[in-house]
């Protein structure tokens, strides 16, 4: 990989113009530190960032030769959820599942267990293939990380000093 051109920085959305090409990355692919990528037009490059970075789309990788490669959300299997959105959003959030919130629907990544649960709650769930851009964390940045609930009686630790109480 040493013969590849490197991208060691990301320029935030709205702070650049004139990309030489673009790369479409799914939700998991937009969470990276070091990865070999190929742009739509065939530019091979190595992303080599100082730390793991969450990209949402609209950013640009700056290649060592100065060219910019735009980051776009790629399409992936999703579920479009309609119905009582407030109630459905609560159940999705209670499972710590990333969710794209829109005025008339919720969008989550395809998951047959969640699909069955949502349908039991009266939701209309439609399988789609589209870019997935979920809400950020509690402060509008970063990712909401799913996790397994432990077997404690009253709650579990999140490992960051917080504690979730089961109700």
């Amino acid at each position: 990989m040493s013969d590849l051109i490197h991208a060691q920085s990301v320029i935030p959305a709205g702070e650049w113009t004139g990309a030489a090409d673009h790369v479409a990355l799914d939700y998991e692919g937009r969470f990276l530190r070091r990865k070999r990528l190929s742009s739509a037009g065939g530019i091979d490059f190595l992303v080599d960032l100082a730390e793991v970075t969450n990209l949402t789309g609209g950013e640009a990788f700056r290649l060592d030769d100065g060219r910019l490669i735009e980051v776009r959300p790629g399409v992936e299997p999703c579920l479009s959820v309609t119905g009582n959105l407030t109630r459905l959003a609560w159940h999705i959030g209670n499972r710590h599942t990333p969710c794209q919130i829109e005025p008339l629907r919720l969008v989550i990544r395809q998951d047959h267990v969640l699909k069955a649960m949502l349908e039991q709650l009266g939701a209309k769930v439609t399988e789609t293939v589209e870019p997935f851009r979920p809400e950020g964390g509690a402060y509008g940045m970063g990712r909401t990380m799913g996790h397994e609930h432990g077997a404690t009686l009253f709650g579990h630790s999140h490992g960051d000093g917080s504690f979730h109480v089961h109700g």
Side-chain angles (χ1 to χ4, degrees):
M1 284 197 215
S2 61
D3 59 331
L4 289 176
I5 191 158
H6 285 71
Q8 296 178 323
S9 64
V10 175
I11 303 171
E15 296 184 18
W16 61 271
T17 59
D21 204 348
H22 74 275
V23 62
L25 302 171
D26 67 11
Y27 179 65
E28 292 301 325
R30 294 191 314 266
F31 192 64
L32 58 99
R33 189 193 79 72
R34 184 176 168 90
K35 187 172 185 176
R36 181 186 177 141
L37 297 175
S38 289
S39 70
I43 300 170
D44 294 326
F45 62 102
L46 177 67
V47 175
D48 190 11
L49 305 174
E51 58 188 27
V52 175
T53 302
N54 179 46
L55 304 170
T56 59
E59 303 88 353
F61 293 114
R62 181 186 304 279
L63 303 181
D64 286 343
D65 65 7
R67 291 180 291 173
L68 301 177
I69 305 295
E70 178 186 3
V71 176
R72 296 180 184 171
V75 298
E76 58 190 292
C78 293
L79 298 174
S80 175
V81 181
T82 58
N84 182 341
L85 296 186
T86 303
R87 181 171 182 244
L88 298 169
W90 186 90
H91 283 280
I92 291 168
N94 192 44
R95 282 147 186 86
H96 303 271
T97 300
C99 182
Q100 180 175 320
I101 301 171
E102 298 178 1
L104 301 176
R105 71 179 187 151
L106 305 171
V107 180
I108 61 174
R109 293 173 70 202
Q110 206 165 85
D111 180 307
H112 70 279
V113 173
L114 288 176
K115 180 181 182 190
M117 177 205 66
L118 293 165
E119 288 172 338
Q120 276 189 318
L121 292 167
K124 179 181 178 196
V125 182
T126 306
E127 293 183 11
T128 65
V129 177
E130 62 185 275
F132 180 58
R133 297 178 94 165
E135 291 291 313
Y139 299 98
M141 300 176 63
R143 290 186 175 230
T144 51
M145 299 298 183
H147 65 272
E148 296 296 319
H149 287 264
T152 62
L153 180 60
F154 298 109
H156 65 268
S157 170
H158 283 255
D160 61 358
S162 65
F163 189 81
H164 175 82
V165 177
H166 297 278

